[in-house]
Amino acid sequence: VSFRGNSSVNGSALVYNVAGSVRDNTALDGDGGVVLFGSEVGANVTIGTAGVDLVYGDVRGNEALSPRAFGGVVHCAGGGAFVRRVHGSVAHNRAGFGGVVAAKRNAEVLEVGGDIRDNSAHAYGGVACSFDRFGAVGDVIIEHVAGSIARNFAAQLGGGVAYAAAGHVFVRDVGGDVADNESP
């Protein structure tokens, strides 16, 4: 699911109300393994929202293959991006930046019924990052996780779980452990 614009656009790209899982999707040479909203044209960047919302299974095994790609599951190049209301786990997703979610503005993973685990990034933010080639202005928020946040990693730069280039990082309301996450 993607929208790419060359000038300022306000809209959204959304995967919503999935009875099964969101799994094993791949962006071979670009951003957003499942959902992409945005432009990469410098100052003429889009504003909008990209997300995966209300999944009754897992969000698992999605990836943006390039080490320079953003968002293993979701990327929004101009606005905010989120994965929320996942009844299962968010696991084994990966990208160059933000193994699950990457955004120029807020990057959010909210209301997860299982674990957030084994997600990875080549550079920043094993789970989520607010970072953009043209400058980020957002926060990273991971909250209301019933299980654990574990074994997520950023391989080369920083933020085994989360990284915000210019904002705040919030990890809160976790029912299990926050353990064994890694970054250099």
Side-chain angles (χ1 to χ4, degrees), residues 103-124:
K104 180 163 185 162
R105 297 182 185 273
N106 285 2
E108 302 174 339
V109 181
L110 312 171
E111 300 175 51
V112 177
D115 298 326
I116 299 175
R117 59 182 171 79
D118 300 302
N119 302 286
S120 62
H122 181 76
Y124 290 116

Side-chain angles (χ1 to χ4, degrees), residues 37-72:
F37 185 97
S39 165
E40 297 293 354
V41 193
N44 293 325
V45 70
T46 55
I47 53 175
T49 303
V52 172
D53 187 11
L54 192 55
V55 177
Y56 288 90
D58 298 325
V59 176
R60 168 186 286 274
N62 305 286
E63 57 186 320
L65 280 178
S66 168
R68 297 181 302 277
F70 287 77

Side-chain angles (χ1 to χ4, degrees), residues 144-168:
H144 303 310
V145 180
S148 295
I149 300 175
R151 299 195 308 267
N152 304 285
F153 68 93
Q156 288 196 352
L157 295 175
V161 173
Y163 176 86
H168 302 88

